[in-house]
Amino acid sequence: MGEQTLQTMTWLIPVGPLLTFFLIMLFTKHNRTLSWLLAWAATISSLVLAWTVAFNVFAEGYHHLEEHPNVVSSAIDWLPIGDYAQGTWLQMGVAANPLTAVMLIMVSFAIVMIFIYSVGYHNYGKPRGSHIGEPNHGQEDPLIARFFALMSLFAGAMLLLVVSDNLLMLFIGWEIMGFCSYSLIGFWYAREYHLEPEAIPHIPPYRAAVKAFMTTRVADVIMLLGIVFFYRTFGTLNFSEALSAHSLEAAAHTFGAGIYHIAENGGAVLGLGAIALLLFAGTVGKSAQWPLHVWLPDAMEGPTPVSATIHAAAMVSAGVFMIVRIFPLIAVGSGPEGSAAVGWIIAGIGAFTALMSATIAVAQYDVKGVLAYSTISQLGFMVAAIGMGAYVAAAFHLITHGFFKALLFLASGSVIHGMEHGAGEVHDHHTDPQDMRYMGGLRHKMPRTFWTFLIGGMALSGLPFITAGFWSKDEIFADAWYQFSHDGSALGLFVFIMLGLAAFLTAFYTMRQISMTFFGQPRTPLAEHAHESSNFMTIPLIGLSVFAVAAGWFGIPDNFLGIEWGKINQFHHYVGATIYEPMAELYELHLVHHKIFTLPWSWVPLLTSLTVALGGLAVGWALYGRKPLQKEQKDPLIAILGPGLHNFLNNKWYWDELYEKVFIAPTIYFSEKIVYEVMDKGIIDGFLHLVANVFYTIGRYMKRTEELVFGDGVDWVKDQFLAMTKEFRQLQTGKIQEYVVVSMLIASALVAVVLAINYGWLTNLTSLF
Amino acid sequence: MPLSWYLLVAAVLFSIGLYGVFARRNAVAILMAVELILNAVNINLVAFWRYRTPESSAGMAWAIFVLVVAAAEAAVGLALVISIYRNRDSVVAEEMDLLKN
């Protein structure tokens, strides 16, 4: 296929869904059928384009790809920077290399499955529901068109992120997804909960949406700082330009490969390791690692297709995808010239999160809650892999996880639908249909859901050989073991042990979940009256199960079981080819610990993963499956762990309560008491009131003065004048004789003056002065 | 006989007339006093004419003028007094204070 055609197709991949968002919101919001048909058309066209591009990438063959990984690379001038006359522009563009190709395959397929599923999930075709902004059990959601618009925007943003060739466009897609997660988690914005005390705690969807957005926003700010430093260090945001061996070597020289570097003038500059950590902060938020994991379980408040998209196919995958994409930076940052702390921080957070959330998942009763914590746990696996330097293993687990987690979420949604249908039939709207304690025996009521859930659950647990999760998890174990046994890396051992325990717990809680949901007898009337979901919902489950089984077979190690099978590890060779050459060059320059290579065979990781997976499943079966729970029977785990520990796990290690006390309550106190009361009302309003009072007082005094001067003053003048005239009036007596007297007097006075002047008496007088 | 004697007589007559204007109650008496003043002035005029410019007839004419005017004015004044008397039944100057204030 021509290069030009491929470039155009790559550009067009995100366009369909993004355009659909605007079309639906502006034009077809009132026509539900047209809206979801548009959404289907957009995502299916993206699927076709994505798969075509991806297969064209693979068709190049991995030898060629090692030298030229970016099969498609096309950019346009976007923003003039620096001197406009010089003509330097920031470029934005798309690229397709093997890593983005596998990601495109997974994301586009999962999204199409989810879109098909959503039509059934929102009960299209059933009578229209009347509760706007709330879930309408059994009836068609009145806001279904808006749902598809937002999901299209979400899909478009994710595809934009995957095909982008620079960090800025990736960040744009990242942020759009953040907004979509907010609006989709809070899709049922009017839902309020009125819960019984022993029921599973829920926060209202609108609060969950804010929580998700705020938590990831904290991480995004730090990531933005990382992007700024990235640009400062490399002078470009383009992945292939910035992360080439030459560019990394130059940057390591100038800025230092570790956390910081004292420059010649004595100042400290942030090195490559620090930049890697800043960007990693974005992943901590987006992929819900500790300490920013708290948003993900509450994000279960959104409709199940949203959970499948956010927590499997798209958003959390984007977090891991980003650090996989910038892997050379992390490798140099944690390499021989860099700082080992970088690797320890990343892998440590990943491993800790994996184990912590696995322990929480064993004590959860909400079917989606278990899956939420398992997602956090599996993401911890991927992050730990990257921290150790296992590029291909992390990418592999990302892809397989996308398939089987999406499958599990959609299947759980089907289960919930069945329970809600049962609730509708027996008119019981108080029992939580998501609570596994009230399920049971759904194996016979919902067979297709059962089998697909089983396949997904086995993939998650890592059932050997026949599930995708096994192969990808095994590769992470192999990498960890290799680092410990060959390099003596303590980090390798740490990760190996933590992830091993987490894998054991994963298998355990998965079997617990499957047993509580599907085995035994129905524990409540809701489960008794459940029935299988519509084809819209079950066909995607089957589609995803195919991949949940088969996707792993592309990653069977070349030397599996010690036998040289030839180059069968397609995933390793193709995806590894993306950064094969840069890593080889960096290895020559002694800037990274390892290049991309095939691990030598060791039995330890295989035996370990077999043990933990089968062991976990066996213990789960022993506890929950052999004698399935009866009605009202308490969870046997409470007796084993003790109520204290079980409560600690059930309440998610009380992280939410801790954050509430340490961060949220003080912030609210600060904003209510200090900013609002003191600063806003007290100081600012006080100042305004003071100014107003001053002017008012001035006005009052002016009025008083005016009254005095122009009122009383004038009156006084008038009175004086009248008094004077009263005096003068006495002259006019009306008696002419008196008039004559007066005139004579004055006349004689005048004569006297004239005489005085004449005779010089007046001048004598005046000269005295 | 020196001029000053005539002037003195005229002054004395003038003062008497002035006193009469001030101090008489009866309006007719006041008019009589005014006549006195006028005549005193006349004496002054004639005296100055005779002693200063006897050849000019200006002084002589002037004195006759004053005499005639005095007579006319006395007639008019008396006519006024009669009119007032007819209205107010009194000729006391003090009581005629309609123009008061």
Side-chain angles (χ1 to χ4, degrees):
Chain A
M1 201 164 252
E3 194 185 315
Q4 189 62 30
T5 326
L6 272 182
Q7 281 183 8
T8 318
M9 289 174 90
T10 317
W11 277 105
L12 285 177
I13 292 174
V15 166
L18 285 173
L19 200 59
T20 311
F21 167 70
F22 289 106
L23 287 176
I24 296 181
M25 287 305 254
L26 291 174
F27 300 118
T28 67
K29 227 179 4 171
H30 300 289
N31 186 340
R32 283 115 53 215
T33 317
L34 192 55
S35 301
W36 66 254
L37 280 174
L38 257 178
W40 276 30
T43 43
I44 291 176
S45 69
S46 289
L47 173 71
V48 170
L49 289 169
W51 280 39
T52 315
V53 169
F55 284 113
N56 270 284
V57 168
F58 294 138
E60 300 282 329
Y62 55 80
H63 282 297
H64 183 248
L65 285 170
E66 276 167 15
E67 283 152 41
H68 303 106
N70 282 331
V71 174
V72 171
S73 127
S74 151
I76 56 169
D77 289 336
W78 186 65
L79 185 69
I81 50 178
D83 192 351
Y84 185 74
Q86 270 177 359
T88 42
W89 289 72
L90 189 70
Q91 294 203 317
M92 301 265 263
V94 297
N97 55 39
L99 174 65
T100 55
V102 287
M103 195 67 179
L104 279 173
I105 291 180
M106 186 269 281
V107 168
S108 55
F109 182 74
I111 285 181
V112 170
M113 292 295 112
I114 293 169
F115 271 57
I116 299 176
Y117 177 90
S118 306
V119 176
Y121 184 81
H122 285 295
N123 297 314
Y124 174 74
K126 300 258 178 61
R128 193 102 181 271
S130 54
H131 304 285
I132 299 185
E134 280 176 358
N136 288 270
H137 305 294
Q139 291 173 312
E140 186 182 299
D141 197 310
L143 295 177
I144 190 173
R146 182 166 166 260
F147 182 81
F148 277 103
L150 289 168
M151 289 288 275
S152 304
L153 182 64
F154 198 104
M158 182 64 189
L159 292 167
L160 184 73
L161 182 145
V162 171
V163 298
S164 79
D165 74 346
N166 62 73
L167 205 42
L168 186 60
M169 200 152 104
L170 185 145
F171 193 63
I172 292 175
W174 185 281
E175 288 293 339
I176 297 178
M177 283 204 294
F179 163 70
C180 284
S181 78
Y182 162 78
S183 43
L184 282 168
I185 292 172
F187 184 68
W188 288 320
Y189 53 82
R191 184 176 201 181
E192 298 280 358
Y193 282 103
H194 309 281
L195 293 173
E196 263 110 80
E198 338 79 50
I200 302 168
H202 282 277
I203 64 173
Y206 61 86
R207 276 216 271 141
V210 171
K211 186 173 177 180
F213 202 32
M214 286 292 130
T215 319
T216 54
R217 200 78 198 95
V218 168
D220 291 345
V221 169
I222 305 176
M223 182 177 165
L224 191 58
L225 260 184
I227 295 179
V228 167
F229 276 107
F230 189 96
Y231 184 74
R232 176 274 263 151
T233 311
F234 298 108
T236 171
L237 289 171
N238 188 309
F239 288 120
S240 27
E241 278 172 32
L243 300 176
S244 64
H246 171 77
S247 157
L248 279 168
E249 191 209 345
H253 245 76
T254 324
F255 297 100
I259 304 273
Y260 69 92
H261 180 64
I262 308 290
E264 291 90 45
N265 59 0
V269 288
L270 284 184
L272 297 179
I275 299 174
L277 285 178
L278 286 174
L279 290 172
F280 172 64
T283 303
V284 169
K286 203 64 138 189
S287 299
Q289 299 298 294
W290 178 88
L292 295 173
H293 63 282
V294 289
W295 65 269
L296 201 145
D298 286 311
M300 296 296 127
E301 295 302 326
T304 309
V306 171
S307 305
T309 326
I310 293 180
H311 303 131
M315 205 164 100
V316 297
S317 306
V320 178
F321 178 72
M322 192 266 296
I323 50 171
V324 172
R325 202 89 158 79
I326 62 163
F327 180 72
L329 176 65
I330 301 178
V332 173
S334 58
E337 288 200 20
S339 161
V342 174
W344 270 98
I345 291 176
I346 297 181
I349 288 182
F352 173 71
T353 310
L355 188 55
M356 175 190 85
S357 44
T359 58
I360 298 178
V362 302
Q364 295 299 306
Y365 294 124
D366 188 345
V367 61
K368 280 168 73 171
V370 178
L371 293 175
Y373 283 102
S374 107
T375 306
I376 301 176
S377 184
Q378 296 302 304
L379 292 166
F381 273 72
M382 300 172 215
V383 167
I386 284 283
M388 282 193 306
Y391 173 76
V392 175
F396 192 24
H397 200 53
L398 179 63
I399 302 296
T400 54
H401 175 264
F403 286 122
F404 61 70
K405 198 40 75 63
L407 169 61
L408 278 169
F409 270 113
L410 295 186
S412 73
S414 175
V415 166
I416 295 170
H417 245 249
M419 291 286 282
E420 281 177 358
H421 179 256
E425 277 201 10
V426 302
H427 300 292
D428 174 2
H429 294 288
H430 288 289
T431 326
D432 190 354
Q434 297 184 284
D435 195 332
M436 292 194 293
R437 295 174 291 189
Y438 306 137
M439 296 181 189
L442 292 178
R443 188 173 101 189
H444 305 288
K445 310 276 179 198
M446 312 174 71
R448 268 196 230 170
T449 308
F450 167 62
W451 284 107
T452 49
F453 197 107
L454 187 67
I455 292 174
M458 291 302 111
L460 175 59
S461 317
L463 190 69
F465 311 125
I466 56 168
T467 56
F470 165 74
W471 298 105
S472 52
K473 233 186 259 199
D474 193 48
E475 193 155 342
I476 299 182
F477 282 128
D479 265 288
W481 181 252
Y482 175 81
Q483 300 237 344
F484 169 63
S485 58
H486 258 254
D487 301 338
S489 154
L491 181 59
L493 183 65
F494 173 72
V495 169
F496 189 77
I497 294 178
M498 298 279 272
L499 291 187
L501 288 170
F504 175 78
L505 288 173
T506 307
F508 171 71
Y509 66 64
T510 309
M511 187 43 108
R512 168 180 180 264
Q513 180 175 27
I514 295 178
S515 312
M516 277 179 91
T517 312
F518 293 106
F519 295 159
Q521 298 300 316
R523 286 189 279 278
T524 53
L526 274 78
E528 267 177 44
H529 288 92
H531 72 72
E532 185 59 272
S533 308
S534 68
N535 279 342
F536 274 121
M537 290 170 73
T538 49
I539 306 266
L541 297 178
I542 298 174
L544 283 168
S545 344
V546 171
F547 278 87
V549 170
W553 292 333
F554 290 100
I556 304 178
D558 286 341
N559 47 20
F560 190 57
L561 300 178
I563 306 169
E564 292 296 330
W565 302 88
K567 298 247 182 207
I568 58 167
N569 194 343
Q570 303 289 307
F571 198 93
H572 177 99
H573 294 300
Y574 278 95
V575 176
T578 317
I579 56 168
Y580 186 81
E581 275 214 2
M583 290 300 279
E585 282 178 42
L586 288 167
Y587 185 66
E588 297 296 317
L589 294 167
H590 299 290
L591 281 173
V592 295
H593 284 299
H594 297 284
K595 49 184 182 172
I596 306 288
F597 66 104
T598 307
L599 291 167
W601 175 252
S602 163
W603 283 96
V604 175
L606 177 67
L607 290 174
T608 314
S609 59
L610 283 176
T611 319
V612 297
L614 295 172
L617 288 172
V619 174
W621 170 258
L623 220 52
Y624 292 98
R626 212 159 27 108
K627 246 184 348 121
L629 285 182
Q630 308 291 352
K631 201 191 285 218
E632 303 291 341
Q633 183 189 358
K634 272 214 167 331
D635 193 340
L637 203 59
I638 303 180
I640 297 176
L641 293 176
L645 181 58
H646 190 263
N647 259 346
F648 182 67
L649 296 180
N650 191 5
N651 283 308
K652 319 161 222 155
W653 289 32
Y654 295 110
W655 282 112
D656 281 311
E657 286 77 3
L658 180 73
Y659 287 173
E660 173 76 34
K661 248 207 190 59
V662 172
F663 295 114
I664 298 174
T667 310
I668 292 180
Y669 176 79
F670 180 69
S671 54
E672 277 182 7
K673 291 285 173 310
I674 298 181
V675 176
Y676 180 60
E677 294 282 335
V678 172
M679 282 170 58
D680 203 37
K681 283 208 321 202
I683 298 179
I684 298 179
D685 278 1
F687 175 70
L688 290 175
H689 289 146
L690 182 69
V691 170
N693 266 330
V694 164
F695 280 107
Y696 176 67
T697 313
I698 292 177
R700 261 197 314 129
Y701 279 112
M702 286 177 74
K703 180 177 177 189
R704 187 87 199 96
T705 312
E706 190 191 337
E707 277 174 12
L708 270 173
V709 171
F710 294 100
D712 299 348
V714 171
D715 283 345
W716 177 83
V717 169
K718 173 204 79 172
D719 288 338
Q720 299 304 100
F721 192 69
L722 278 179
M724 181 184 78
T725 56
K726 207 177 281 191
E727 297 295 314
F728 272 101
R729 225 186 268 162
Q730 291 175 14
L731 266 175
Q732 293 183 331
T733 56
K735 305 180 186 156
I736 52 170
Q737 282 172 309
E738 294 191 13
Y739 291 171
V740 173
V741 169
V742 169
S743 54
M744 284 302 120
L745 277 172
I746 292 179
S748 35
L750 279 172
V751 165
V753 168
V754 167
L755 283 174
I757 291 177
N758 251 344
Y759 284 104
W761 294 341
L762 197 59
T763 40
N764 282 340
L765 252 131
T766 51
S767 67
L768 276 181
F769 297 105
Chain B
M1 290 225 269
L3 174 61
S4 52
W5 285 17
Y6 284 95
L7 297 179
L8 195 64
V9 168
V12 167
L13 280 177
F14 186 91
S15 317
I16 294 168
L18 198 62
Y19 171 77
V21 168
F22 290 160
R24 300 300 298 267
R25 280 175 44 107
N26 201 321
V28 178
I30 293 174
L31 282 169
M32 283 160 53
V34 168
E35 284 298 310
L36 250 182
I37 290 174
L38 283 165
N39 281 307
V41 166
N42 233 349
I43 295 173
N44 245 356
L45 273 172
V46 170
F48 274 121
W49 171 70
R50 191 69 172 81
Y51 275 79
R52 289 284 182 223
T53 56
E55 64 285 351
S56 160
S57 54
M60 198 169 26
W62 192 0
I64 293 175
F65 250 111
V66 171
L67 216 49
V68 168
V69 167
E73 176 230 325
V76 169
L78 279 170
L80 275 172
V81 169
I82 290 170
S83 172
I84 290 173
Y85 178 73
R86 282 192 187 145
N87 267 311
R88 292 181 178 266
D89 222 12
S90 155
V91 284
V92 177
E94 240 176 3
E95 293 170 14
M96 308 302 152
D97 59 359
L98 269 178
L99 283 179
K100 188 175 182 182
N101 296 335

